[in-house]
Amino acid sequence: MKKAIFLILLSCLFQAEAQSSALTMADSLYATGSYTKAINFYAKVGSSRGNLQIARAYNSIGNYDKAILQYESLMDGSPELQIARFELGKLYLKTKRFDDGRKLFTSLVSDDANNPEYLYYQGESFRELDQSASSLVAYKKAVEVDSTHLKSIFQLGKYFVVKQETQEALKYLNLGLLFFENDVSLINLKALALFNNNEYSKALPFFERLLELEEHKPHIYGKLAHCYFKEWDFEKSKNTYHALIRMDKDDPDPYFNLGHVFLKEQQLDSAKFYIKKSKEVQDPSFHREYRSLAGIAREEEDLKGAFEYYKLAFKEEPSDYMAYYQICTTADQLFKDPNLKLQYYENFIKKFGPDIRYFSERAKKRISELKQELHFAKD
């Protein structure tokens, strides 16, 4: 009897040692990225921890279907195993099973409402399901639980920036920047929130800070240049647009905007050069360039040139009522024949009259004056 018990104990000891050895080997293989070999050793162990590592290994090699099955099997055997539920929930999101993720994270939040990660991923599930109101509630709760929860702060800031609710956006972005002052995503969102609210002087230093942090992206240069322009710092605006042009010589916008900086300085030759350059580098739709060139021609008192540019602008964009109205007013100044002037104004009424009330009224008033002029000329 004693001998039998001894043999049983000895067998258990050898089995425990074998499992321990297999677990050690599996952990070593997992740590060095040999996931398939690690799975084989974890399978020999047969413990909850081993099964969890098998799920993680399948996840690491991208076999998400097997990883999900392994996690779900773990949950069936140990429903209280929160780490497995948490990792499965994230895997549901990765594989676009958003409603499954929502259910799982809602369950986790129910078990532990003070875990900001559970709340954040619950918010992510709702966001992917286009349930914005519920996602905002989850993100806000995550921040209430942990005021430094960067991912939730970012999502809240981004949402309110997109919605152009500047004060709400700044509330969360400023909170995040208290703890993460050099976080480029938060700085970028704050700069955009202020820029979109036309607070260019306040946005400017944040765009400058992004460049200091090596965020050399075209949209940053473009908005920074516009801030300088709005603050009447034309030299910095020009330098920044030139930097943007060096980044992409085929983007028409920097040339166009640079032309308007020179126009603001009344440097008309340079303004024409850059606006024409914008026309040259872009696909053939030059509506805005022709209108700007028409405006410059008017500044130069070149009515004939302005008239031709306005006609070209309208040809490019036949729905632009302002371009056609400018054709009318320029023709009114350029030509002597009142019949010709009358023809342009009447065409404006035919094309746009019912929709453009203010300019239609002005056109009708001028039509009346021209008809009266013609009447007196006959007399």
Side-chain angles (χ1 to χ4, degrees), residues 271-313:
K272 279 194 289 187
F273 172 82
Y274 283 105
I275 290 172
K276 285 180 178 179
K277 187 69 177 176
S278 172
K279 184 167 70 71
E280 290 170 13
V281 300
Q282 67 177 299
D283 291 332
S285 177
F286 309 133
H287 165 255
R288 66 177 187 173
E289 283 76 15
Y290 286 135
R291 278 194 60 173
S292 293
L293 289 169
I296 293 171
R298 273 195 156 178
E299 290 272 349
E300 295 176 326
E301 299 182 358
D302 177 10
L303 289 176
K304 185 177 180 182
F307 183 70
E308 293 303 321
Y309 279 129
Y310 281 129
K311 287 199 297 183
L312 288 169

Side-chain angles (χ1 to χ4, degrees), residues 331-350:
D332 204 343
Q333 293 178 277
L334 181 62
F335 301 119
K336 292 182 179 179
D337 184 356
N339 282 299
L340 185 57
K341 300 179 184 183
L342 183 63
Q343 182 182 336
Y344 280 108
Y345 282 113
E346 287 179 336
N347 283 340
F348 179 85
I349 297 298
K350 288 177 185 177

Side-chain angles (χ1 to χ4, degrees), residues 246-257:
R246 288 193 293 272
M247 295 172 74
D248 184 359
K249 290 182 171 61
D250 296 323
D251 182 358
D253 288 338
Y255 296 105
F256 181 78
N257 293 326

Side-chain angles (χ1 to χ4, degrees), residues 33 50 81 93 99 114 141 197-198 222 231 269 272 282 293 336 339 368:
L81 195 59
L93 296 186
D99 199 49
N114 290 317
K141 285 182 180 177
N197 202 43
N198 301 324
E231 290 300 300
D269 288 340
K272 279 194 289 187
Q282 67 177 299
L293 289 169
K336 292 182 179 179
N339 282 299
S368 177

Side-chain angles (χ1 to χ4, degrees), residues 40-178:
N40 293 329
F41 277 93
Y42 283 128
K44 294 177 183 178
V45 176
S47 64
S48 292
R49 181 178 177 278
N51 290 334
L52 177 60
Q53 289 298 103
I54 290 172
R56 289 170 170 169
Y58 279 131
N59 192 9
S60 296
I61 62 177
N63 193 334
Y64 301 134
D65 290 338
K66 283 194 174 181
I68 287 172
L69 287 173
Q70 188 70 21
Y71 277 121
E72 288 176 340
S73 175
L74 265 172
M75 285 176 55
D76 289 339
S78 305
E80 75 285 350
L81 195 59
Q82 283 197 14
I83 188 64
R85 294 160 65 200
F86 178 55
E87 292 176 9
L88 175 59
K90 289 194 288 184
L91 192 50
Y92 279 149
L93 296 186
K94 184 185 286 187
T95 55
K96 302 188 185 303
R97 291 173 58 175
F98 302 125
D99 199 49
D100 288 329
R102 177 195 62 79
K103 292 173 184 175
L104 196 47
F105 285 115
T106 299
S107 172
L108 285 165
V109 168
S110 178
D111 291 344
D112 184 0
N114 290 317
N115 187 319
E117 284 289 286
Y118 294 169
L119 289 161
Y120 167 74
Y121 282 105
Q122 184 189 38
E124 289 290 274
S125 304
F126 282 123
R127 182 174 65 83
E128 295 289 1
L129 291 166
D130 293 324
Q131 298 179 26
S132 299
S134 296
S135 71
L136 291 177
V137 170
Y139 294 138
K140 288 178 180 180
K141 285 182 180 177
V143 175
E144 288 172 11
V145 169
D146 179 0
S147 60
T148 69
H149 199 263
L150 180 60
K151 292 182 290 187
S152 296
I153 289 170
F154 173 80
Q155 288 294 359
L156 288 165
K158 180 182 176 182
Y159 175 86
F160 289 117
V161 168
V162 170
K163 293 294 182 181
Q164 296 194 345
E165 296 182 33
T166 307
Q167 294 311 311
E168 277 296 297
L170 292 177
K171 181 175 78 173
Y172 290 103
L173 296 171
N174 288 335
L175 177 64
L177 288 168
L178 282 176

